[in-house]
């Protein structure tokens, strides 16, 4: 069972020898919220780990960016990255729909341009992203909305333009039990920077689930599709992989669900007391979120590597 051990000089070598692949969450680990600068010292730590021969993948539930857009953001924040090294929930969802489900038909998307871009790249036709164009007409006029009979898949992600019209449209498609229902992620909240919190994608997915009485298949952390893509497309070995993150219910749970180990850092969403509370719980769901290790910041791993002369 995971025990939430502090990484320190006495166990850091054993820790580093135990993996050759790193999956790192971004927000709360590499940078904070909307900040346009990295958490100090963390880019250098990632470089140290790469120098030691570790493969690094950047794994995010943020569905508003394509992989290419993520690379631009990472590079701006001093993380040297390629598209191959980025797995966002929009990418994971498009890959899951295309390769795992084998669906290449038309998709109705509640989401933003990041999802649209990844479905374009996958060659899957779609519509729905952006404003709905309804212009505040009456409730009865909703019935005039044309439902496209070719749509057999609804994808839900973060959508700033989400409203009743989109909810109605998704409900119409999903009333067909054959219509696939996929979500990018179900994070309850989004970090707004400066400690602020915004409603996350999970609130939008829940609205669609509630109105249809159906449950979405979720592709992002902590669910397996994202991990499966890394295994299938990049040949990672979960037993030799560490997941670094700042959240228990997504990052650490992904580690458990995919048979990896998890390193929690305290530079984002989670306080040490939150993790400690889980270690005292008998609930299996809680135990599947306990970090194997923790550090105040990822920069502390860099300090330990230097102090122990490991690079
Ligand atoms: Mg995070």
């Amino acid at each position: 069972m995971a025990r939430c051990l502090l990484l320190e000089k006495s166990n850091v070598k054993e820790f580093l020898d135990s993996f050759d692949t790193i999956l790192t969450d971004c927000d709360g680990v590499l940078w904070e919220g909307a900040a346009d600068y990295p958490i100090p010292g963390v880019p250098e730590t990632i470089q140290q780990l790469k120098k030691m021969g570790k493969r690094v993948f950047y794994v995010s539930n943020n569905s508003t960016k394509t992989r290419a857009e993520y690379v631009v953001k990472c590079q701006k924040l001093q993380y040297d990255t390629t598209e191959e090294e980025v797995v966002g929930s929009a990418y994971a969802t498009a890959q899951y729909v295309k390769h795992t489900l084998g669906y290449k038909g038309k998709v109705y998307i509640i989401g933003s341009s990041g999802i649209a871009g990844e479905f374009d790249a996958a060659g899957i036709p779609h519509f729905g992203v952006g404003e709905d164009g309804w212009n505040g007409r009456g409730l009865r006029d909703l019935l005039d909305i044309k439902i496209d009979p070719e749509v057999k898949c609804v994808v839900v992600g973060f959508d700033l333009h989400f409203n009743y019209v989109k909810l109605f449209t998704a409900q119409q498609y999903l009333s067909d039990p054959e219509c696939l229902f996929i979500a990018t992620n179900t994070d309850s909240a989004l970090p707004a920077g400066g400690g602020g919190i915004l409603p996350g994608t999970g609130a939008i997915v829940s609205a669609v689930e509630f109105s249809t009485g159906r449950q979405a298949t979720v592709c992002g952390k902590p669910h397996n599709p994202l991990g499966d893509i890394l295994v299938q497309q990049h040949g990672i070995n979960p037993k030799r992989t560490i997941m670094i993150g700042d959240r228990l219910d997504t990052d650490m749970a992904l580690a458990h669900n995919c048979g990896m180990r998890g390193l929690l850092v305290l530079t984002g969403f989670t306080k040490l007391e939150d993790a400690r509370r889980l270690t005292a719980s008998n609930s299996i769901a809680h135990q599947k979120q306990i970090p194997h290790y923790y550090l105040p910041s990822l920069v502390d791993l860099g300090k330990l590597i230097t102090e122990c002369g490991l690079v």
Side-chain angles (χ1 to χ4, degrees), residues 156-176:
V156 182
F158 186 75
D159 189 341
L160 264 181
H161 302 291
F162 179 64
N163 64 5
Y164 193 82
V165 178
K166 292 193 178 201
L167 182 61
F168 169 84
T169 308
Q171 186 202 41
Q172 294 302 297
Y173 290 121
L174 291 169
S175 65
D176 172 1

Side-chain angles (χ1 to χ4, degrees), residues 232-287:
Q232 288 156 11
Q233 298 189 353
H234 299 284
I236 72 158
N237 175 359
K239 287 194 170 60
R240 296 279 306 161
T241 300
I242 187 91
M243 172 73 212
I244 303 172
D246 70 314
R247 284 190 70 123
L248 300 166
D249 61 347
T250 53
D251 302 322
M252 296 304 108
L254 179 79
H256 283 275
N257 287 345
C258 295
M260 308 165 190
R261 273 155 311 117
L263 165 61
L264 177 75
V265 293
L266 305 173
T267 41
F269 197 79
T270 305
K271 295 187 173 56
L272 185 56
E273 306 90 86
D274 304 328
R276 290 276 189 240
R277 215 170 291 129
L278 296 184
T279 59
S281 167
N282 289 325
S283 144
I284 292 185
H286 286 166
Q287 286 172 8

Side-chain angles (χ1 to χ4, degrees), residues 55 57 67 83-88 90-100 118 121-122 224-237:
R55 282 205 298 175
F57 292 95
R67 290 197 300 169
E83 267 188 54
E84 288 289 292
E85 295 169 329
V86 175
V87 182
Y91 175 73
T93 301
Q95 296 299 301
Y96 177 78
V97 168
K98 182 175 181 176
H99 295 294
T100 308
E118 293 296 3
N224 290 52
L226 191 142
D228 292 346
I229 282 164
L230 284 155
V231 172
Q232 288 156 11
Q233 298 189 353
H234 299 284
I236 72 158
N237 175 359

Side-chain angles (χ1 to χ4, degrees), residues 114-128:
I115 305 176
E118 293 296 3
F119 275 81
D120 285 339
I124 297 177
H126 61 85
F127 64 96

Side-chain angles (χ1 to χ4, degrees), residues 25-31 59-61 187 191 221 244-247 250-251 268-269:
D25 176 46
C26 299
D27 201 325
V29 178
L30 307 178
W31 58 74
V59 174
S60 172
N61 266 1
D187 292 42
K221 299 177 290 185
I244 303 172
D246 70 314
R247 284 190 70 123
T250 53
D251 302 322
F269 197 79

